[in-house]
Amino acid sequence: MVTASHDPIEYNGFRLIGKEAFPIYGDDLQRILKLCEENTFPTATGSVVTRDLTHYYTDYILKNFLFRKKHNVVVSCGYGTSSLIVSDLFTKAKVN
């Protein structure tokens, strides 16, 4: 994930997430650095599968959060990923 911050530029960067959503840091990050510097990446075979999973996320929110129809809601997505789902989510939740 590429991150940006409202703090000074030195706090911007990359966030690496590993198996089961655990952050990659410390020794694991140093191993990745070594692979990059030495250009000795392991080889493997596999496939790429593309799926739209946004409905799982919106269904989860609708199931686990209470939306009150009498409230008007304004969302500033700031070009974030929530901009991809907020319209559909609010339509399904009947939120203004």
Side-chain angles (χ1 to χ4, degrees):
M1 171 189 330
V2 177
T3 65
S5 175
H6 297 289
D7 292 324
I9 196 168
E10 60 266 17
Y11 295 104
N12 295 337
F14 292 95
R15 182 175 298 160
L16 302 176
I17 307 298
K19 187 175 183 180
E20 297 181 11
F22 286 102
I24 296 173
Y25 63 97
D27 291 340
D28 291 331
L29 190 56
Q30 293 305 311
R31 282 194 285 278
I32 293 172
L33 174 62
K34 185 177 178 184
L35 287 172
C36 293
E37 290 175 337
E38 296 175 352
N39 198 24
T40 55
F41 300 98
T43 59
T45 58
S47 62
V48 175
V49 177
T50 302
R51 294 188 183 137
D52 180 0
L53 303 176
T54 55
H55 67 280
Y56 290 110
Y57 184 66
T58 54
D59 289 350
Y60 174 84
I61 292 172
L62 291 168
K63 180 179 171 185
N64 291 286
F65 293 90
L66 174 63
F67 289 91
R68 299 182 187 276
K69 294 179 188 175
K70 63 182 177 180
H71 292 290
N72 291 322
V73 178
V74 177
V75 177
S76 174
C77 299
Y79 303 103
T81 56
S82 61
S83 65
L84 300 174
I85 61 114
V86 75
S87 179
D88 183 51
L89 174 65
F90 283 2
T91 298
K92 287 180 180 176
K94 297 184 172 100
V95 172
N96 292 326

